[in-house]
Amino acid sequence: MVQMGHQQVVFCLDEGVGLRAIIAIHDTTLGPALGGVRFWAYQSEEEALWDVLRLARGMTYKAAVSGLNLGGGKAVIIGDPLHIKSEALLRRFGQFVESLGGRYITAEDMGVSVKDMEYVRIETSYVTGLPEELGGSGDPSPVTAYGVYLGMKAAWKKLTGTESLKGVKILVQGLGKVGAALVELLQKEQAILYATDLSASRLEEFRTQYNVQPAAPDQWYLQPIDIFAPCARGGVLNQETIPHLRCAVVAGSANNQLADEEQDSIRLAERGILYVPDFLINAGGLINVYTELEGYSRSRALARTEYIYEATMRVLAAAEQRQITPHQAAMQIAEERIRSIAALRARSFSHSVFETSQPIWQNKSL
Ligand code: NAD
């Protein structure tokens, strides 16, 4: 198994309710490990383990680069949710989360619904991303879209000296919850919009409502544009697609856009395409649930998300200065923040200056 520096990995088994789950805590230097629980029919335990380790590590970097006081964690429940999901299984999972005493905070992810999270919440208070009716933050997608929009503007400013997207040709791939909210923001700014989606009716809806020009889902990269915004699925930037891209910037919400993080970020740079790291500009959703931990306010979540503009500028400047790709720069900046806070903690404890026994998520002044 590849060593990724995780602090704790918990295997949760209860044959009585059919639960097989893994909780991975990657790093809690900055705060409790927050990340969703994914319910998926993995082919094997090894596959599930690999996925949860990779996703938990990704959460550490996302939180760190976004300036949040959170660590990285993730959970997976193994099995087909359509066949094995039950109240007892979900509540048992909640008990395992509770047993970690707040080191890991869970949330909704693929295969898990709002209703499911209500069962989990009966057994543990370490849950976030609850619906608005339960005092939670609700759908994070508009906040995610706002962060992508700001990251896009920062990249355009870096490239052209202006942050206005008026008249800029932008193709949005995926008109789902995030893509749709992004189109609305971009339309207000009078960008020239193109879009692609697997659903022809969705494309048609956006053509009539927002004057978005449709592109075929399998040929989107033939369209000459200024900015490509992947908002559908991961792995879309790879050795097959990158040579065909006809854009100056890539900035979108999809997780894990680079099929091969190192190689594809270099391929993009070699083609002179400015790639804005996905985990940096899609952090609005995480910022949204983070805000819920202290009592939710949408305006505070949006205000915090504005930091993404500044963070993007910082990453792009560091990439230029250090002669590395923006992806590498974002990773380095995240690691530097974690190291500096770890050193700060060590200093504080060694001088007995500061001590807290309170979990960070209960600290209202954060
Ligand atoms: P969604 O399921 O609501 O929408 C995805 C859309 O992409 C759908 O309309 C689907 O038809 C389309 N699509 C799928 N495959 C496609 C393809 N090959 N070509 C064109 N269109 C395709 O998802 P979402 O919540 O809008 O999230 C979009 C992406 O952003 C995902 O990768 C998600 O992991 C990521 N993300 C979302 C959030 C959030 O707040 N929702 C936060 C962070 C990251």
Side-chain angles (χ1 to χ4, degrees), residues 140-141 144 174-178 196-198 231-233 253-255 282:
S141 309
T144 303
L175 294 168
K177 295 187 290 294
V178 179
T196 177
D197 197 288
L198 294 181
C231 298
R233 57 191 181 90
S253 76
N255 280 314
N282 75 11

Side-chain angles (χ1 to χ4, degrees), residues 27-164:
D27 193 291
T28 53
T29 307
L30 301 176
L34 194 153
V37 51
R38 181 167 291 189
F39 206 142
W40 194 252
Y42 291 101
Q43 296 301 308
S44 65
E45 211 160 84
E46 285 69 31
E47 193 197 346
L49 180 62
W50 171 252
D51 205 29
V52 75
L53 291 176
R54 187 181 62 87
L55 292 166
R57 175 176 170 273
M59 293 305 292
T60 297
Y61 283 96
K62 187 183 285 205
V65 81
S66 314
L68 299 176
N69 295 322
L70 286 175
K74 201 85 185 181
V76 294
I77 300 178
I78 304 169
D80 185 343
L82 292 176
H83 292 115
I84 67 162
K85 199 191 275 179
S86 69
E87 175 185 349
L89 181 149
L90 292 161
R91 290 182 63 165
R92 189 77 182 101
F93 172 73
Q95 290 174 352
F96 277 105
V97 173
E98 181 67 17
S99 74
L100 292 170
R103 277 173 59 72
Y104 167 67
I105 301 174
T106 196
E108 203 182 321
D109 199 278
M110 274 157 58
V112 179
S113 70
V114 169
K115 178 76 191 151
D116 299 336
M117 293 316 285
E118 288 182 32
Y119 288 131
V120 174
R121 196 176 73 122
I122 295 171
E123 304 295 337
T124 180
S125 53
Y126 304 116
V127 180
T128 187
L130 293 166
E132 282 165 290
E133 314 84 80
L134 294 175
S137 52
D139 180 9
S141 309
V143 184
T144 303
Y146 186 52
V148 172
Y149 166 72
L150 293 173
M152 202 179 257
K153 280 171 88 65
W156 197 243
K157 167 98 178 163
K158 175 84 185 147
L159 202 67
T160 66
T162 169
E163 63 169 48
S164 168

Side-chain angles (χ1 to χ4, degrees), residues 152-214:
M152 202 179 257
K153 280 171 88 65
W156 197 243
K157 167 98 178 163
K158 175 84 185 147
L159 202 67
T160 66
T162 169
E163 63 169 48
S164 168
L165 298 174
K166 185 175 177 185
V168 177
K169 292 181 181 167
I170 303 172
L171 187 144
V172 178
Q173 181 186 45
L175 294 168
K177 295 187 290 294
V178 179
L182 181 63
V183 162
E184 252 183 68
L185 290 166
L186 294 173
Q187 204 222 20
K188 281 193 193 126
E189 192 152 336
Q190 298 175 17
I192 301 170
L193 289 168
Y194 301 82
T196 177
D197 197 288
L198 294 181
S199 158
S201 62
R202 191 83 174 142
L203 266 180
E204 180 54 20
E205 185 189 326
F206 277 74
R207 191 185 66 75
T208 49
Q209 203 176 335
Y210 295 104
N211 197 22
V212 167
Q213 299 175 49

Side-chain angles (χ1 to χ4, degrees), residues 221-270:
Y221 45 77
L222 300 180
Q223 180 65 47
I225 41 167
D226 297 307
I227 302 177
F228 171 48
C231 298
R233 57 191 181 90
V236 72
L237 303 169
N238 53 52
Q239 57 181 339
E240 276 84 47
T241 58
I242 292 171
H244 298 289
L245 291 180
R246 299 170 80 185
C247 62
V249 173
V250 176
S253 76
N255 280 314
N256 308 315
Q257 289 165 30
L258 303 168
D260 179 324
E261 286 186 11
E262 271 305 301
Q263 293 308 315
D264 291 326
S265 71
I266 292 169
R267 281 188 189 105
L268 284 162
E270 283 173 354

Side-chain angles (χ1 to χ4, degrees), residues 271-292:
R271 284 224 44 221
I273 296 170
L274 187 60
Y275 168 68
V276 193
D278 48 11
F279 67 93
L280 166 65
I281 60 168
N282 75 11
L286 182 62
I287 294 172
N288 202 50
V289 292
Y290 175 76
T291 308
E292 182 179 324

